[in-house]
PDB file of all heavy atoms in Angstrom:
ATOM      1  N   ILE A 320      -5.004  15.782  68.538  1.00  0.00           N
ATOM      2  CA  ILE A 320      -6.453  15.570  68.509  1.00  0.00           C
ATOM      3  C   ILE A 320      -7.235  16.878  68.437  1.00  0.00           C
ATOM      4  O   ILE A 320      -8.020  17.102  67.503  1.00  0.00           O
ATOM      5  CB  ILE A 320      -6.906  14.736  69.733  1.00  0.00           C
ATOM      6  CG1 ILE A 320      -6.425  13.293  69.569  1.00  0.00           C
ATOM      7  CG2 ILE A 320      -8.434  14.764  69.862  1.00  0.00           C
ATOM      8  CD1 ILE A 320      -6.776  12.380  70.737  1.00  0.00           C
ATOM      9  N   LEU A 321      -7.039  17.770  69.408  1.00  0.00           N
ATOM     10  CA  LEU A 321      -7.823  19.005  69.423  1.00  0.00           C
ATOM     11  C   LEU A 321      -7.487  19.917  68.239  1.00  0.00           C
ATOM     12  O   LEU A 321      -8.400  20.497  67.631  1.00  0.00           O
ATOM     13  CB  LEU A 321      -7.645  19.735  70.754  1.00  0.00           C
ATOM     14  CG  LEU A 321      -8.721  20.780  71.079  1.00  0.00           C
ATOM     15  CD1 LEU A 321     -10.121  20.166  71.012  1.00  0.00           C
ATOM     16  CD2 LEU A 321      -8.472  21.385  72.457  1.00  0.00           C
ATOM     17  N   PRO A 322      -6.213  20.070  67.858  1.00  0.00           N
ATOM     18  CA  PRO A 322      -5.927  20.861  66.653  1.00  0.00           C
ATOM     19  C   PRO A 322      -6.616  20.306  65.409  1.00  0.00           C
ATOM     20  O   PRO A 322      -7.084  21.079  64.566  1.00  0.00           O
ATOM     21  CB  PRO A 322      -4.400  20.768  66.526  1.00  0.00           C
ATOM     22  CG  PRO A 322      -3.921  20.583  67.933  1.00  0.00           C
ATOM     23  CD  PRO A 322      -4.964  19.715  68.578  1.00  0.00           C
ATOM     24  N   THR A 323      -6.700  18.989  65.298  1.00  0.00           N
ATOM     25  CA  THR A 323      -7.381  18.392  64.145  1.00  0.00           C
ATOM     26  C   THR A 323      -8.870  18.698  64.187  1.00  0.00           C
ATOM     27  O   THR A 323      -9.483  19.029  63.161  1.00  0.00           O
ATOM     28  CB  THR A 323      -7.163  16.870  64.129  1.00  0.00           C
ATOM     29  OG1 THR A 323      -5.773  16.579  64.042  1.00  0.00           O
ATOM     30  CG2 THR A 323      -7.875  16.238  62.941  1.00  0.00           C
ATOM     31  N   VAL A 324      -9.475  18.597  65.371  1.00  0.00           N
ATOM     32  CA  VAL A 324     -10.904  18.893  65.523  1.00  0.00           C
ATOM     33  C   VAL A 324     -11.198  20.341  65.113  1.00  0.00           C
ATOM     34  O   VAL A 324     -12.147  20.608  64.359  1.00  0.00           O
ATOM     35  CB  VAL A 324     -11.359  18.641  66.981  1.00  0.00           C
ATOM     36  CG1 VAL A 324     -12.749  19.227  67.223  1.00  0.00           C
ATOM     37  CG2 VAL A 324     -11.357  17.148  67.289  1.00  0.00           C
ATOM     38  N   VAL A 325     -10.381  21.270  65.578  1.00  0.00           N
ATOM     39  CA  VAL A 325     -10.591  22.687  65.255  1.00  0.00           C
ATOM     40  C   VAL A 325     -10.404  22.925  63.761  1.00  0.00           C
ATOM     41  O   VAL A 325     -11.186  23.639  63.112  1.00  0.00           O
ATOM     42  CB  VAL A 325      -9.631  23.573  66.074  1.00  0.00           C
ATOM     43  CG1 VAL A 325      -9.700  25.028  65.604  1.00  0.00           C
ATOM     44  CG2 VAL A 325      -9.961  23.474  67.563  1.00  0.00           C
ATOM     45  N   ARG A 326      -9.380  22.311  63.190  1.00  0.00           N
ATOM     46  CA  ARG A 326      -9.136  22.468  61.748  1.00  0.00           C
ATOM     47  C   ARG A 326     -10.307  21.932  60.928  1.00  0.00           C
ATOM     48  O   ARG A 326     -10.743  22.566  59.955  1.00  0.00           O
ATOM     49  CB  ARG A 326      -7.838  21.761  61.357  1.00  0.00           C
ATOM     50  CG  ARG A 326      -7.579  21.766  59.849  1.00  0.00           C
ATOM     51  CD  ARG A 326      -6.205  21.206  59.516  1.00  0.00           C
ATOM     52  NE  ARG A 326      -6.026  19.849  60.017  1.00  0.00           N
ATOM     53  CZ  ARG A 326      -6.507  18.760  59.409  1.00  0.00           C
ATOM     54  NH1 ARG A 326      -7.223  18.869  58.295  1.00  0.00           N
ATOM     55  NH2 ARG A 326      -6.268  17.567  59.912  1.00  0.00           N
ATOM     56  N   LEU A 327     -10.825  20.782  61.306  1.00  0.00           N
ATOM     57  CA  LEU A 327     -11.947  20.192  60.569  1.00  0.00           C
ATOM     58  C   LEU A 327     -13.189  21.073  60.654  1.00  0.00           C
ATOM     59  O   LEU A 327     -13.939  21.210  59.682  1.00  0.00           O
ATOM     60  CB  LEU A 327     -12.263  18.798  61.116  1.00  0.00           C
ATOM     61  CG  LEU A 327     -11.230  17.706  60.792  1.00  0.00           C
ATOM     62  CD1 LEU A 327     -11.614  16.399  61.477  1.00  0.00           C
ATOM     63  CD2 LEU A 327     -11.110  17.494  59.292  1.00  0.00           C
ATOM     64  N   LEU A 328     -13.408  21.676  61.807  1.00  0.00           N
ATOM     65  CA  LEU A 328     -14.552  22.580  61.946  1.00  0.00           C
ATOM     66  C   LEU A 328     -14.414  23.786  61.020  1.00  0.00           C
ATOM     67  O   LEU A 328     -15.387  24.225  60.403  1.00  0.00           O
ATOM     68  CB  LEU A 328     -14.685  23.042  63.396  1.00  0.00           C
ATOM     69  CG  LEU A 328     -15.449  22.108  64.337  1.00  0.00           C
ATOM     70  CD1 LEU A 328     -15.359  22.607  65.765  1.00  0.00           C
ATOM     71  CD2 LEU A 328     -16.905  21.977  63.907  1.00  0.00           C
ATOM     72  N   LYS A 329     -13.201  24.311  60.917  1.00  0.00           N
ATOM     73  CA  LYS A 329     -12.978  25.451  60.031  1.00  0.00           C
ATOM     74  C   LYS A 329     -13.185  25.058  58.571  1.00  0.00           C
ATOM     75  O   LYS A 329     -13.807  25.795  57.797  1.00  0.00           O
ATOM     76  CB  LYS A 329     -11.567  26.006  60.229  1.00  0.00           C
ATOM     77  CG  LYS A 329     -11.345  26.667  61.583  1.00  0.00           C
ATOM     78  CD  LYS A 329      -9.892  27.113  61.742  1.00  0.00           C
ATOM     79  CE  LYS A 329      -9.667  27.774  63.098  1.00  0.00           C
ATOM     80  NZ  LYS A 329      -8.239  28.163  63.284  1.00  0.00           N
ATOM     81  N   VAL A 330     -12.692  23.878  58.207  1.00  0.00           N
ATOM     82  CA  VAL A 330     -12.846  23.404  56.830  1.00  0.00           C
ATOM     83  C   VAL A 330     -14.310  23.145  56.517  1.00  0.00           C
ATOM     84  O   VAL A 330     -14.830  23.541  55.460  1.00  0.00           O
ATOM     85  CB  VAL A 330     -12.022  22.116  56.607  1.00  0.00           C
ATOM     86  CG1 VAL A 330     -12.370  21.489  55.257  1.00  0.00           C
ATOM     87  CG2 VAL A 330     -10.543  22.413  56.687  1.00  0.00           C
ATOM     88  N   ASP A 331     -15.013  22.482  57.437  1.00  0.00           N
ATOM     89  CA  ASP A 331     -16.424  22.174  57.224  1.00  0.00           C
ATOM     90  C   ASP A 331     -17.261  23.442  57.141  1.00  0.00           C
ATOM     91  O   ASP A 331     -18.233  23.523  56.381  1.00  0.00           O
ATOM     92  CB  ASP A 331     -16.951  21.271  58.349  1.00  0.00           C
ATOM     93  CG  ASP A 331     -16.355  19.865  58.275  1.00  0.00           C
ATOM     94  OD1 ASP A 331     -15.716  19.563  57.251  1.00  0.00           O
ATOM     95  OD2 ASP A 331     -16.537  19.089  59.225  1.00  0.00           O
ATOM     96  N   ALA A 332     -16.900  24.440  57.945  1.00  0.00           N
ATOM     97  CA  ALA A 332     -17.657  25.693  57.940  1.00  0.00           C
ATOM     98  C   ALA A 332     -17.475  26.426  56.610  1.00  0.00           C
ATOM     99  O   ALA A 332     -18.389  27.102  56.128  1.00  0.00           O
ATOM    100  CB  ALA A 332     -17.212  26.579  59.095  1.00  0.00           C
ATOM    101  N   ALA A 333     -16.300  26.248  55.999  1.00  0.00           N
ATOM    102  CA  ALA A 333     -16.023  26.939  54.733  1.00  0.00           C
ATOM    103  C   ALA A 333     -16.778  26.303  53.565  1.00  0.00           C
ATOM    104  O   ALA A 333     -17.189  26.996  52.638  1.00  0.00           O
ATOM    105  CB  ALA A 333     -14.518  26.928  54.461  1.00  0.00           C
ATOM    106  N   GLY A 334     -16.959  25.000  53.607  1.00  0.00           N
ATOM    107  CA  GLY A 334     -17.663  24.318  52.514  1.00  0.00           C
ATOM    108  C   GLY A 334     -18.486  23.180  53.062  1.00  0.00           C
ATOM    109  O   GLY A 334     -18.212  22.007  52.787  1.00  0.00           O
ATOM    110  N   PHE A 335     -19.479  23.506  53.856  1.00  0.00           N
ATOM    111  CA  PHE A 335     -20.222  22.492  54.626  1.00  0.00           C
ATOM    112  C   PHE A 335     -21.076  21.611  53.723  1.00  0.00           C
ATOM    113  O   PHE A 335     -21.825  22.095  52.878  1.00  0.00           O
ATOM    114  CB  PHE A 335     -21.105  23.172  55.667  1.00  0.00           C
ATOM    115  CG  PHE A 335     -21.832  22.195  56.544  1.00  0.00           C
ATOM    116  CD1 PHE A 335     -21.137  21.418  57.446  1.00  0.00           C
ATOM    117  CD2 PHE A 335     -23.202  22.042  56.460  1.00  0.00           C
ATOM    118  CE1 PHE A 335     -21.803  20.519  58.261  1.00  0.00           C
ATOM    119  CE2 PHE A 335     -23.877  21.148  57.260  1.00  0.00           C
ATOM    120  CZ  PHE A 335     -23.166  20.386  58.163  1.00  0.00           C
ATOM    121  N   ASP A 336     -20.938  20.316  53.912  1.00  0.00           N
ATOM    122  CA  ASP A 336     -21.752  19.323  53.207  1.00  0.00           C
ATOM    123  C   ASP A 336     -22.469  18.494  54.251  1.00  0.00           C
ATOM    124  O   ASP A 336     -21.888  17.621  54.883  1.00  0.00           O
ATOM    125  CB  ASP A 336     -20.865  18.436  52.327  1.00  0.00           C
ATOM    126  CG  ASP A 336     -21.677  17.475  51.462  1.00  0.00           C
ATOM    127  OD1 ASP A 336     -22.783  17.104  51.891  1.00  0.00           O
ATOM    128  OD2 ASP A 336     -21.201  17.107  50.376  1.00  0.00           O
ATOM    129  N   GLU A 337     -23.761  18.794  54.470  1.00  0.00           N
ATOM    130  CA  GLU A 337     -24.532  18.127  55.533  1.00  0.00           C
ATOM    131  C   GLU A 337     -24.527  16.617  55.372  1.00  0.00           C
ATOM    132  O   GLU A 337     -24.389  15.873  56.334  1.00  0.00           O
ATOM    133  CB  GLU A 337     -25.961  18.665  55.524  1.00  0.00           C
ATOM    134  CG  GLU A 337     -26.930  17.916  56.454  1.00  0.00           C
ATOM    135  CD  GLU A 337     -26.608  18.085  57.925  1.00  0.00           C
ATOM    136  OE1 GLU A 337     -25.990  19.109  58.281  1.00  0.00           O
ATOM    137  OE2 GLU A 337     -26.961  17.185  58.712  1.00  0.00           O
ATOM    138  N   ASP A 338     -24.666  16.148  54.139  1.00  0.00           N
ATOM    139  CA  ASP A 338     -24.747  14.712  53.913  1.00  0.00           C
ATOM    140  C   ASP A 338     -23.442  14.008  54.251  1.00  0.00           C
ATOM    141  O   ASP A 338     -23.429  12.922  54.824  1.00  0.00           O
ATOM    142  CB  ASP A 338     -25.113  14.418  52.450  1.00  0.00           C
ATOM    143  CG  ASP A 338     -26.535  14.857  52.129  1.00  0.00           C
ATOM    144  OD1 ASP A 338     -27.352  14.915  53.063  1.00  0.00           O
ATOM    145  OD2 ASP A 338     -26.813  15.151  50.953  1.00  0.00           O
ATOM    146  N   GLU A 339     -22.321  14.631  53.891  1.00  0.00           N
ATOM    147  CA  GLU A 339     -21.034  13.960  54.070  1.00  0.00           C
ATOM    148  C   GLU A 339     -20.431  14.187  55.444  1.00  0.00           C
ATOM    149  O   GLU A 339     -19.860  13.280  56.042  1.00  0.00           O
ATOM    150  CB  GLU A 339     -20.059  14.428  52.991  1.00  0.00           C
ATOM    151  CG  GLU A 339     -18.734  13.684  53.009  1.00  0.00           C
ATOM    152  CD  GLU A 339     -17.830  14.055  51.845  1.00  0.00           C
ATOM    153  OE1 GLU A 339     -18.234  14.912  51.022  1.00  0.00           O
ATOM    154  OE2 GLU A 339     -16.721  13.493  51.769  1.00  0.00           O
ATOM    155  N   PHE A 340     -20.544  15.405  55.970  1.00  0.00           N
ATOM    156  CA  PHE A 340     -19.818  15.747  57.187  1.00  0.00           C
ATOM    157  C   PHE A 340     -20.701  16.211  58.340  1.00  0.00           C
ATOM    158  O   PHE A 340     -20.188  16.596  59.390  1.00  0.00           O
ATOM    159  CB  PHE A 340     -18.785  16.849  56.881  1.00  0.00           C
ATOM    160  CG  PHE A 340     -17.770  16.479  55.847  1.00  0.00           C
ATOM    161  CD1 PHE A 340     -17.677  17.189  54.664  1.00  0.00           C
ATOM    162  CD2 PHE A 340     -16.919  15.404  56.051  1.00  0.00           C
ATOM    163  CE1 PHE A 340     -16.750  16.846  53.692  1.00  0.00           C
ATOM    164  CE2 PHE A 340     -15.986  15.051  55.100  1.00  0.00           C
ATOM    165  CZ  PHE A 340     -15.890  15.765  53.909  1.00  0.00           C
ATOM    166  N   GLY A 341     -22.007  16.196  58.161  1.00  0.00           N
ATOM    167  CA  GLY A 341     -22.892  16.748  59.182  1.00  0.00           C
ATOM    168  C   GLY A 341     -22.714  16.110  60.542  1.00  0.00           C
ATOM    169  O   GLY A 341     -22.608  16.792  61.570  1.00  0.00           O
ATOM    170  N   GLY A 342     -22.664  14.772  60.586  1.00  0.00           N
ATOM    171  CA  GLY A 342     -22.521  14.074  61.865  1.00  0.00           C
ATOM    172  C   GLY A 342     -21.201  14.373  62.539  1.00  0.00           C
ATOM    173  O   GLY A 342     -21.152  14.635  63.751  1.00  0.00           O
ATOM    174  N   ARG A 343     -20.110  14.343  61.766  1.00  0.00           N
ATOM    175  CA  ARG A 343     -18.796  14.628  62.348  1.00  0.00           C
ATOM    176  C   ARG A 343     -18.732  16.056  62.873  1.00  0.00           C
ATOM    177  O   ARG A 343     -18.185  16.306  63.952  1.00  0.00           O
ATOM    178  CB  ARG A 343     -17.709  14.407  61.293  1.00  0.00           C
ATOM    179  CG  ARG A 343     -16.290  14.539  61.850  1.00  0.00           C
ATOM    180  CD  ARG A 343     -15.257  14.434  60.757  1.00  0.00           C
ATOM    181  NE  ARG A 343     -15.280  15.606  59.881  1.00  0.00           N
ATOM    182  CZ  ARG A 343     -14.551  15.717  58.767  1.00  0.00           C
ATOM    183  NH1 ARG A 343     -13.797  14.706  58.386  1.00  0.00           N
ATOM    184  NH2 ARG A 343     -14.608  16.818  58.032  1.00  0.00           N
TER     185      ARG A 343
END
Side-chain angles (χ1 to χ4, degrees):
I320 289 178
L321 198 54
T323 300
V324 168
V325 172
R326 175 173 58 80
L327 289 176
L328 276 173
K329 292 176 180 178
V330 170
D331 290 349
F335 183 68
D336 186 331
E337 172 67 26
D338 292 334
E339 186 174 1
F340 301 118
R343 186 185 70 186

